[in-house]
Amino acid sequence: MPSSLRSKKILFGVCGSIAAFKAAGWVSALTKEGAEVTVVMTAAATRFVTPLTFAALSGRPVHSDMWEEGMAHIALPTATDAVLIAPTTAQAIARLAHGMADDLLSASVLACTVPVLVCPAMNSKMLAHPATQKNLATLRGFGYAVAEPECGRLACGEEGAGRLAEWDSVREMLLGLLTAQDMTGQQVLITAGPTREPLDPARFLSNRSSGKMGYALARTAKRRGAAVTLISGPVALEPPPGVTLVRVETALEMAEAVSKCAQTASIVVKAAAVADFRAAAFSAQKIKKTAVEPLLALAANPDILATLGRSRRADQLLIGFAAESGNHEAEGRRKLLAKKADLIVVNDILGSSTGFDVDTNQVTLITLDSTETLDLLSKEETADRIWDKAAALLRARQVKFNQQEAS
Ligand code: C5P
């Protein structure tokens, strides 16, 4: 499946910090995703990792000498979509902040007009020094994005802030810089994953939802500039960077969390596979197989989406999911009306490449006046298409509102 980094031209600057070894993994990851990575190293960086390593991982020549090739500092940045500098040392930050052009990397950045992402990595005292903080503020003022260094054990043996940020959050920042920020200002609330309904201290009722679709929606909305709250049942996924995560276990907990957060949301997406039933009574002791009739008494859980549909604000957009094993369109349309949603995303849970616990999906988008079946796509691409549809619905609503105001 194509990644959003495919064919993107990245100028990857590497500076002289021990964290340069991590940059090798990042160049490899970007290249595997189909990005065209050109590495520029400072002289100090070549002391930590050889240019050969980066050349082998990127499949392209590595540049480090200002004087080797004619106008490399002009040619390199013009053929690029974004500049990523990792690790960015205190020295490089100072050079960039002062517009110096005394090596190939700093001259290239000075000559570039594309987004720049710096990833500081250094000793915590060097990071905390007012000079570095002032230089970082200057870079932010230039519009450069800064991947905040993390706290932890540093190469010098000290504990503190200064560790290179994690790849997942840097990758998301890079994708954000390469993506139109068309969801800026939207407050998005997403539910994801299954719920777990306990029967006794050892057992629960649940379903096969992995949370991948809801997490993909959260990542892509954040990437497009939205403020995202993700209410998640128990899943084995890393939290998407930059997203407010609320962990819940049962349907009742999810209902409570949704009702707390829904008021301020402009778009609510219920991608969670909420258990329709819970145990009528929780047994505080483990149920013995000899002690009871093998019958389970169940109680219905509240339908969170339908509750939202009844109480929603007029300007809120409500999106539900329907996991179906047959009669997809009719079932989706029935749920659209019954739950008073603006959009129902129907997926087929019997297909081997769609539905539960796979990275791909094929969905049908159902609104009051349209039905559209998308191709088999990655869940992230599917999520982007859902956001495109949401944007179109919001635009149509605005047009209608303007017409009503005018008449
Ligand atoms: O009725 P069904 O469960 O198929 O509807 C699916 C949609 O309703 C999903 O958006 C799901 O998150 C939501 N739902 C809910 N609360 C429930 C059951 C489903 O919000 N108890």
Side-chain angles (χ1 to χ4, degrees):
M1 280 292 150
S3 139
S4 329
L5 286 162
R6 176 170 295 265
S7 304
K8 290 289 185 300
K9 295 179 176 60
I10 311 294
L11 184 66
F12 196 123
V14 185
C15 306
S17 145
I18 181 59
F21 82 91
K22 294 185 183 170
W26 295 11
V27 168
S28 168
L30 284 166
T31 308
K32 278 188 195 138
E33 286 199 55
E36 296 169 19
V37 185
T38 302
V39 175
V40 175
M41 303 178 76
T42 63
T46 63
R47 301 280 193 127
F48 287 92
V49 182
T50 67
L52 182 63
T53 302
F54 286 105
L57 292 171
S58 66
R60 281 157 204 276
V62 169
H63 308 265
S64 60
D65 189 345
M66 184 82 154
W67 312 109
E68 209 166 62
E69 310 148 60
M71 300 287 274
H73 64 293
I74 307 296
L76 287 172
T78 43
T80 197
D81 295 309
V83 176
L84 167 62
I85 309 175
T88 322
T89 52
Q91 163 75 13
I93 290 166
R95 271 214 205 94
L96 296 176
H98 290 85
M100 292 178 69
D102 60 343
D103 71 1
L104 183 58
L105 179 60
S106 45
S108 299
V109 176
L110 206 55
C112 97
T113 51
V114 296
V116 177
L117 171 55
V118 299
C119 305
M122 66 198 73
N123 167 272
S124 52
K125 293 190 192 80
M126 292 171 78
L127 179 66
H129 195 284
T132 307
Q133 289 302 314
K134 197 170 161 201
N135 289 334
L136 279 171
T138 303
L139 295 189
R140 288 193 184 92
F142 293 164
Y144 294 2
V146 177
E148 285 302 330
E150 296 180 359
C151 286
R153 190 172 187 284
L154 305 172
C156 55
E158 288 179 20
E159 290 277 335
R163 279 170 65 89
L164 187 67
E166 289 297 324
W167 172 235
D168 192 22
S169 65
V170 172
R171 179 180 174 275
E172 279 306 325
M173 287 182 81
L174 182 64
L175 281 165
L177 294 175
L178 295 165
T179 304
Q181 297 296 287
D182 57 354
M183 290 182 73
T184 303
Q186 299 291 353
Q187 303 278 336
V188 177
L189 175 63
I190 299 165
T191 67
T195 64
R196 248 181 215 177
E197 312 298 328
L199 302 175
D200 67 20
R203 305 180 181 98
F204 55 80
L205 292 174
S206 193
N207 59 62
R208 292 181 53 212
S209 169
S210 63
K212 285 181 177 173
M213 191 63 237
Y215 276 56
L217 282 158
R219 263 180 198 270
T220 48
K222 170 73 189 148
R223 206 178 278 166
R224 290 167 75 150
V228 180
T229 299
L230 175 63
I231 300 177
S232 174
V235 296
L237 300 173
E238 285 298 317
V243 161
T244 304
L245 180 68
V246 181
R247 292 183 203 272
V248 296
E249 198 154 312
T250 65
L252 291 178
E253 285 168 12
M254 185 170 277
E256 195 186 332
V258 168
S259 83
K260 266 190 199 146
C261 302
Q263 265 313 308
T264 51
S266 52
I267 307 178
V268 181
V269 188
K270 288 281 301 125
V274 185
D276 290 326
F277 301 101
R278 63 181 183 276
F282 173 74
S283 167
Q285 301 297 320
K286 189 175 170 211
I287 302 167
K288 295 283 173 203
K289 63 181 163 197
T290 50
V292 287
E293 286 281 303
L295 287 173
L296 215 51
L298 299 175
N301 275 327
D303 189 315
I304 306 169
L305 181 59
T307 309
L308 281 176
R310 287 192 293 272
S311 64
R312 58 187 270 182
R313 292 198 324 264
D315 61 343
Q316 218 166 30
L317 199 74
L318 203 54
I319 303 176
F321 271 68
E324 303 297 342
S325 52
N327 229 357
H328 303 79
E329 194 182 330
E331 272 304 295
R333 197 155 288 287
R334 186 183 66 71
K335 284 176 188 174
L336 182 81
L337 298 174
K339 303 192 187 215
K340 294 189 170 62
D342 300 288
L343 169 64
I344 290 283
V345 182
V346 189
N347 53 30
D348 177 3
I349 57 166
L350 295 186
S352 59
S353 316
T354 64
F356 293 133
D357 206 18
V358 287
D359 292 321
T360 50
N361 214 356
Q362 182 166 29
V363 301
T364 301
L365 307 183
I366 299 182
T367 68
L368 270 184
D369 47 23
S370 70
T371 301
E372 185 188 354
T373 299
L374 304 184
D375 292 336
L376 181 69
L377 299 168
S378 73
K379 284 190 171 166
E380 283 200 4
E381 285 173 299
T382 304
D384 265 325
R385 299 291 294 274
I386 293 169
W387 296 129
D388 292 344
K389 189 74 182 176
L393 288 170
L394 286 171
R395 273 196 305 275
R397 183 178 286 179
Q398 191 61 46
V399 168
K400 210 166 148 190
F401 177 77
N402 291 346
Q403 283 166 350
Q404 280 166 357
E405 286 284 288
S407 64

